[in-house]
Structure formats: structure tokens, C-alpha cells
Amino acid sequence: MSETVFGAGLRVAIMTDETGWHTARLKKAFRARGVDARCIDLAACRIDTTWQPYGLALPGFGHTLPDAVFVRGIAGGTFEQVTLRLGVLHALRECGVPVYNDARAIERSVDKSMTSFLLHRNGVPTPPTWAGESAAFAQRVLMRETAAGHQVVLKPLFGSQGKGLRRLGASARGDGTLVPLPSLARYQQVAYLQRFVGRSAQARTAREAGPAFDWRVLVIGGRAVAAMRRSGGRGWIHNVARGAHCEPAELDETLAQLAVRATHALGLDYAGVDLIPPPVSSDAPDAPGASPLVLEVNGVAAWRGLQTVTPFDIATALVDDLLDRRLAATIPPTAPMRHASL
């Protein structure tokens, strides 16, 4: 079905807690396909069993539902608030509305511990990770990793843009002093620890000198479509929000396959996959066969930084995948739209 035909007359809800650059790009891409796209805050939606016929009320849609939903942002809040907002997404799926990405996939990607578990379970290379509520266990992990010559990174279980990350291990003074585990109160009494993967000073001199970096790979509809290198920023944290510099990266087969496997492991329609170069041994800095490691998989990924080094319009690629793959598969050619059938 040609793009000029499929899309006209459809209505799509863009779920977001704030409007700006990303939502403007998405709305423009939807308009180019003849789709009426409107932004809705999940906090303004409600489950209402008296609201016929679906028991679900979305601002601007009356008693009807959108033909599809694009999840751009979910505001933080109490456990109950976030649960209800995700519940609305679950309810939309129960009503047969394609949700891109759906609630279950977002839950898996937002929870870093579940992301690590699923990556490991599906054989996707990722750093050793520990998550639990015991500060005593976390301290033992820290001591064991430090004794083995490793550092660990303490991260919020829910978080993004490099906020709240702390690197722990031997003191920077080089005297063997152990940096103690900080209070977990700031981390909601949950310790999520991941082995820090970096290059030793010896390994750095054995290879071409250059700043530390990571990769962001964008996967859409089961295909890796763009990649960039991020370097600089706040020391070892390479998020664009922290001032990292973006440059285009070659999307080789290894990066593409790892990113696609990671996205598939979490059941995401689209994802921003963060990868780091393989650990380098000071004994064999040029040893072949080492694989990059997947750090995180973002199910509500921003792409403003990536767009600056990508020749095609990312919002258009996302919209095309939603309409031509996800939505087209659910609507027979002769079927009326949800809002037109009532």
C-alpha cells in the first residue's frame, strides 16, 4: 500500500509530558502522511468503566480511541501515578490500539535491572551487574570487585541522561583506600551496580590515542538505521545532556547486530541502544575477538543529538515504521477506522 494512500484520515496520539523539538518533528512527519497527530499527557488520561464503549477516556478523543499511539514521554511521579499511566497504555493495547513502544516493553527498558537480566538471558554482551536491596551485599560486591582491580558504577534503578551515576572503587589517591558505598537513600534503597569498563593507562598507550567514547545506535522496526559516537561531556559519562560531543559512526555489522539483538530481547519497536568498546587488557591490548558491550536500552529514546549527524529525518523513519509496519498489520484494507465506526 503506498504511503500516499495509507495514513490519510488516521488519528494518532503522541503520549508526552512535554512538547518541544521531538514532538514538533513527529507531528510534522505525521502531517506529511495525512495523519492527525495530537499530543496528550498520560496524566490527563483515565480509566473510566462508565465511559462507553471502551472504559478508557483520552483528552480530545471523546468516546473514541486513536488509531495508534506513539509514546514519546512518561512523566515521573509516585509509584501509583506511574503505575496508572502505564496501565492506560496496557488498556489501549487491550483495546486493540497499536502502542509504539507498548507498556510492557517500556517497563523492561526503564527498569535497568530487568534490562540487564534480559540482555544476559538472551546472550547479549553486557557488563556484570548486581541489583538488590541489601546495602551489606552491595558493599561486599564493591569490596570483591575492588580487590579484583575493578571499579563499579552505582546507578539509579530508574534514571536517564547520566544523572545520579557514581563511580566507586579504589581511591583516586592510589593508596589502595576503598571508597565506601554511599547511602542508598538517594537511590530509593536499591543498589544497582555495574562493573565499570574502561581502558588502562598501559592499554591506552598501546593503541591510537583518543578520548573515551560510547556509541548510540538507533533501531527501528528490527533494523539498525543510524549510529553516532559520543565523547567528552562529564568525564566518563558521555550523555548528550551532559555536554558530550556527537559525531557520525560507522554502523558496522557487529554494532548493528548487537543493537538489534538488545532491542529484540526487550520487545521494543524502536530503541536507542548504548554500547561501549570492549574492555582492553593491558597484557593484550590488541587481542582480537572482543565484542562491544551493551550498557542500556532506551525505550523512550531521544534523538536530537543523533539527528545532527544523521542524513535522513529520524522522525519520518519512526512514523513510517509505525504506520507501515505496526498499524498496517492490524487494519484490513477495507476496515473502518475506530473513530469512524462509532
Side-chain angles (χ1 to χ4, degrees):
M1 187 175 297
S2 69
E3 293 183 358
T4 57
V5 175
F6 186 74
L10 294 177
R11 299 193 302 172
V12 171
I14 301 173
M15 295 299 186
T16 181
D17 57 314
E18 59 181 15
T19 58
W21 185 88
H22 288 89
T23 53
R25 303 284 290 213
L26 286 170
K27 292 179 75 172
K28 180 181 178 181
F30 277 119
R31 281 196 305 271
R33 295 289 300 267
V35 176
D36 176 17
R38 58 191 66 182
C39 295
I40 299 176
D41 191 340
L42 275 167
C45 302
R46 69 180 188 274
I47 292 174
D48 183 346
T49 59
T50 69
W51 197 258
Q52 298 300 324
Y54 297 105
L56 188 61
L58 276 61
F61 286 90
H63 287 267
T64 68
L65 294 179
D67 295 294
V69 168
F70 188 107
V71 181
R72 171 59 217 132
I74 302 175
T78 65
F79 179 76
E80 290 80 3
Q81 287 174 315
V82 174
T83 298
L84 178 56
R85 291 163 193 168
L86 290 170
V88 170
L89 296 180
H90 281 297
L92 284 161
R93 181 179 179 179
E94 291 295 320
C95 291
V97 178
V99 180
Y100 188 96
N101 288 304
D102 71 24
R104 187 183 182 201
I106 290 174
E107 289 167 348
R108 290 175 164 191
S109 64
V110 168
D111 176 356
K112 289 185 176 65
S113 65
M114 182 54 62
T115 296
S116 295
F117 171 78
L118 290 172
L119 292 175
H120 174 73
R121 183 173 175 83
N122 285 274
V124 179
T126 191
T129 302
W130 304 264
E133 298 184 42
S134 168
F137 173 76
Q139 184 66 58
R140 289 197 297 273
V141 169
L142 176 58
M143 293 175 66
R144 185 173 66 242
E145 287 292 290
T146 300
H150 302 300
Q151 291 183 316
V152 297
V153 179
L154 175 63
K155 303 181 181 182
L157 193 65
F158 307 131
S160 61
Q161 300 182 337
K163 297 176 182 177
L165 273 59
R166 293 195 60 176
R167 191 164 145 189
L168 308 173
S171 168
R173 295 191 299 268
D175 57 5
T177 303
L178 179 69
V179 176
L181 184 79
S183 169
L184 295 180
R186 181 182 174 187
Y187 298 88
Q188 307 304 312
Q189 304 303 330
V190 170
Y192 174 89
L193 298 169
Q194 195 168 62
R195 180 179 293 168
F196 176 75
V197 178
R199 299 181 177 185
S200 67
Q202 297 97 321
R204 271 183 165 275
T205 60
R207 286 193 168 188
E208 182 179 351
F213 68 92
D214 66 7
W215 291 284
R216 162 62 65 91
V217 177
L218 180 65
V219 177
I220 300 177
R223 188 169 65 93
V225 299
M228 67 176 175
R229 280 173 47 136
R230 302 181 297 192
S231 60
R234 183 184 159 191
W236 52 277
I237 302 175
H238 305 305
N239 295 81
V240 175
R242 297 284 182 171
H245 171 69
C246 304
E247 60 182 350
E250 178 188 358
L251 190 52
D252 61 29
E253 185 177 355
T254 298
L255 281 181
Q257 287 186 355
L258 282 175
V260 169
R261 286 172 57 197
T263 302
H264 179 74
L266 274 67
L268 293 158
D269 289 306
Y270 79 99
V273 182
D274 295 340
L275 306 97
I276 56 174
V280 178
S281 168
S282 59
D283 298 323
D286 295 307
S291 170
L293 304 178
V294 175
L295 278 184
E296 295 184 9
V297 184
N298 300 276
V300 189
W303 65 87
R304 191 167 188 171
L306 182 58
Q307 186 65 80
T308 65
V309 296
T310 302
F312 64 88
D313 186 69
I314 293 173
T316 296
L318 290 165
V319 166
D320 287 348
D321 184 58
L322 169 56
L323 297 178
D324 298 332
R325 181 183 62 85
R326 285 285 276 113
L327 182 55
T330 67
I331 300 179
T334 58
M337 306 308 171
R338 280 183 193 84
H339 60 271
S341 62
L342 297 174

